[in-house]
Amino acid sequence: MEIKSVILAAGKGTRMKSETPKVLHKIFDKTLLGYVLDSVKFASEAFVIVGHKAEEVTEYVNENYAFAKTVLQTPQLGTGHAVSMVCPALENFEGLVVILCGDTPLVREETMKNFVAEHIKSGADLTVMSTIFDNPTNYGRIIRSGNGALEKIVEEKDADAGQKAVKEVNAGIYCLNWAKIKPAFSQLTSSNAQGEYYLTDIIEWANRQGLSVQASVLEDSDEIYGINSRENLAIATRLMNQRKLHELMVSGVTIVDPASTWISQDTEIGADTVVYPSTYIEGSNNKIGKRCKIGPFAHLRGDVEVADDVKIGNFVEVKKSKIGAHTNACHLSYIGDSELGSNINIGAGTITANFNPLTRVKSKTVLKDNVKIGSNTVLVAPVTVEEGANVGAGSVITKNVPARALALTRGVLKVIEGWVKG
Ligand code: UD1
Ligand code: CA
């Protein structure tokens, strides 16, 4: 069955106190909205409902997600009103519509796939994801009848004391048989405490039509953790990091100190690699091989491909680079826009000068296999050091170095004897 997705992202996010729209805030290098879109990659099309700072969000979506487009909602009259904005585009759509919020970046693609599979298997017309919170304050409460059937969702502000005591809450994720539920969107009213058109009212509507509705309980409630403040953003970042470190450790990577190690989701690390404390690996497309030693105090910034048995030591920053097997960069270096072969030694304090601030052009440094770079070398890109060549310590390399040559730009050492009197 064809699946389309609707992502609600028109709200202002007042509590972020930011010029940036809430859904474009980032965890590691990826936006909150990016994580949510990635969780529904299996959909044939995604509609992102935008309102506040719509242009910025639209630009982001258009640049990064071919399967998604934005739909404008002005003014923002509530979550039900938001979803109704896609009715014209989905007028003749017969498949499933999966709805999520743009500010819950921890939801996993696997969870979304399972949720949709469960919806299909059950034969329901509408499935709501719920979860159990010890402190359910501010969430919509799941109200079930005596036999456990889903009756309705009541928002905090509309709930009586009995309803407020319910700990099962609406996760804000829904799967709808679109053709059956679509008529609800022209019939929602705003007669509630907030004067908004509530998406949650589609449940009572469906019940009144005799359609089949159900709530599916999500066990790991962290996955629907929503971002409303900078505090929430920090907590979500930590949760995402913990999840990643756990996965890596299960797959055979040693993380010496999980409390001080940060690794982005889109980072693969081979077994028996050891990541030492205070290492920060951000960005996407990082692939680190087996038996490597990373850190302490290493900073990998994305598009970093490291083969097996590599050492990246303290205060070494690597960006957009490939590093071959058995190559070492153990201390105080910057390696950017580079291609390093295997069995290379990068001396302490080596810098690839990849950026020309006058032309604003970034260029590449290529070091072939078995190259040895002396300490405190600057490799001014574009530059290539051919196979087996050596560079003497303290050199500034502005030209290509032939294979097996020695390149050296060091001034002649002067020793003045008797300089210190007395
Ligand atoms: C909503 C649910 C609540 C659920 C909670 C889960 C309703 C009425 N309530 O409450 O049951 O427990 O999510 O997080 O749906 N948005 C728009 N346009 C609007 C209004 C909101 O796009 O007109 C977007 C917001 O940007 C946000 C999302 O919808 O991403 C949720 O809106 P919000 O007002 O935060 O709903 P909650 O009060 O959290
Ligand atoms: Ca609200």
Side-chain angles (χ1 to χ4, degrees):
M1 198 168 337
E2 192 176 359
I3 301 167
K4 299 204 179 197
S5 183
V6 176
I7 295 167
L8 306 184
K12 189 153 181 235
T14 316
R15 278 181 284 160
M16 295 300 285
K17 305 246 167 66
S18 177
E19 298 267 301
T20 303
K22 178 166 83 174
V23 293
L24 297 190
H25 278 262
K26 290 179 180 175
I27 293 182
F28 291 105
D29 69 318
K30 202 196 279 183
T31 64
L32 305 183
L33 180 58
Y35 287 105
V36 176
L37 278 162
D38 285 342
S39 79
V40 288
K41 280 200 295 261
F42 55 81
S44 60
E45 193 176 18
F47 299 94
V48 180
I49 310 296
V50 295
H52 180 69
K53 300 234 172 169
E55 270 169 40
E56 244 175 277
V57 182
T58 300
E59 199 181 308
Y60 169 78
V61 169
N62 291 346
E63 267 174 28
N64 295 283
Y65 289 91
F67 85 118
K69 58 165 79 133
T70 54
V71 177
L72 192 62
Q73 183 203 15
T74 41
Q76 288 102 46
L77 303 179
T79 48
H81 177 248
V83 175
S84 74
M85 297 295 112
V86 300
C87 286
L90 296 182
E91 192 162 343
N92 300 311
F93 182 60
E94 296 281 342
L96 300 179
V97 170
V98 175
I99 304 171
L100 316 84
C101 291
D103 61 358
T104 53
L106 292 170
V107 64
R108 293 182 306 133
E109 186 185 10
E110 201 191 329
T111 300
M112 292 309 301
K113 280 185 176 163
N114 291 340
F115 176 66
V116 172
E118 195 186 325
H119 172 86
I120 292 170
K121 198 168 150 219
S122 72
D125 299 305
L126 165 54
T127 304
V128 180
M129 191 185 286
S130 71
T131 196
I132 312 291
F133 278 146
D134 278 342
N135 177 7
T137 312
N138 290 329
Y139 284 87
R141 305 300 203 283
I142 298 286
I143 308 301
R144 292 179 186 267
S145 63
N147 63 6
L150 173 61
E151 212 170 82
K152 58 182 174 181
I153 295 174
V154 178
E155 293 304 296
E156 171 89 21
K157 287 181 177 139
D158 302 291
D160 61 33
Q163 291 165 334
K164 277 185 184 159
V166 173
K167 293 190 169 173
E168 186 181 2
V169 305
N170 171 20
I173 295 175
Y174 313 77
C175 186
L176 324 179
N177 286 7
W178 181 250
K180 292 229 179 112
I181 307 295
K182 180 180 63 178
F185 292 99
S186 55
Q187 292 172 39
L188 295 177
T189 66
S190 57
S191 51
N192 52 55
Q194 302 188 80
E196 288 177 9
Y197 294 89
Y198 287 168
L199 175 57
T200 44
D201 285 350
I202 61 175
I203 285 124
E204 270 187 291
W205 178 89
N207 273 323
R208 280 200 302 274
Q209 307 301 308
L211 298 172
S212 133
V213 300
Q214 62 174 1
S216 152
V217 186
L218 174 72
E219 237 160 70
D220 177 10
S221 55
D222 282 350
E223 282 196 46
I224 59 126
Y225 187 78
I227 312 297
N228 292 306
S229 66
R230 307 274 181 167
E231 200 96 51
N232 294 154
L233 191 62
I235 291 168
T237 305
R238 187 166 48 76
L239 289 170
M240 195 175 283
N241 190 50
Q242 281 169 347
R243 184 197 278 174
K244 181 69 193 181
L245 298 182
H246 171 76
E247 272 171 28
L248 290 170
M249 288 189 277
V250 167
S251 71
V253 177
T254 293
I255 308 284
V256 175
D257 178 26
S260 72
T261 303
W262 298 87
I263 301 181
S264 65
Q265 275 202 326
D266 201 3
T267 298
E268 287 171 25
I269 305 185
D272 290 320
T273 284
V274 180
V275 182
Y276 290 92
S278 296
T279 290
Y280 192 70
I281 302 179
E282 60 181 326
S284 48
N285 301 319
N286 296 311
K287 280 203 184 88
I288 297 167
K290 295 177 184 168
R291 299 174 302 275
C292 294
K293 290 188 157 77
I294 310 291
F297 300 101
H299 183 191
L300 276 51
R301 291 173 40 208
D303 297 307
V304 171
E305 205 179 312
V306 175
D308 298 340
D309 303 292
V310 167
K311 279 190 204 160
I312 297 176
N314 31 219
F315 306 106
V316 175
E317 176 181 339
V318 187
K319 185 214 83 176
K320 212 173 184 179
S321 293
K322 275 189 184 163
I323 301 182
H326 295 280
T327 285
N328 295 336
C330 292
H331 339 265
L332 303 159
S333 290
Y334 172 60
I335 299 167
D337 301 302
S338 302
E339 211 166 285
L340 275 51
S342 58
N343 205 28
I344 290 173
N345 192 65
I346 303 284
T350 296
I351 304 293
T352 58
N354 60 327
F355 180 60
N356 181 336
L358 300 176
T359 57
R360 304 200 64 77
V361 170
K362 283 185 181 156
S363 303
K364 209 164 162 181
T365 301
V366 178
L367 307 183
K368 299 286 178 64
D369 296 349
N370 305 314
V371 158
K372 308 295 172 215
I373 304 290
S375 295
N376 209 28
T377 293
V378 181
L379 296 155
V380 182
V383 70
T384 298
V385 180
E386 297 289 349
E387 204 275 313
N390 290 7
V391 171
S395 297
V396 178
I397 302 299
T398 52
K399 279 193 243 165
N400 294 347
V401 179
R404 312 191 83 76
L406 169 67
L408 198 61
T409 64
R410 202 181 297 159
V412 178
L413 173 68
K414 272 184 217 153
V415 178
I416 303 173
E417 300 248 13
W419 178 257
V420 182
K421 306 292 177 210

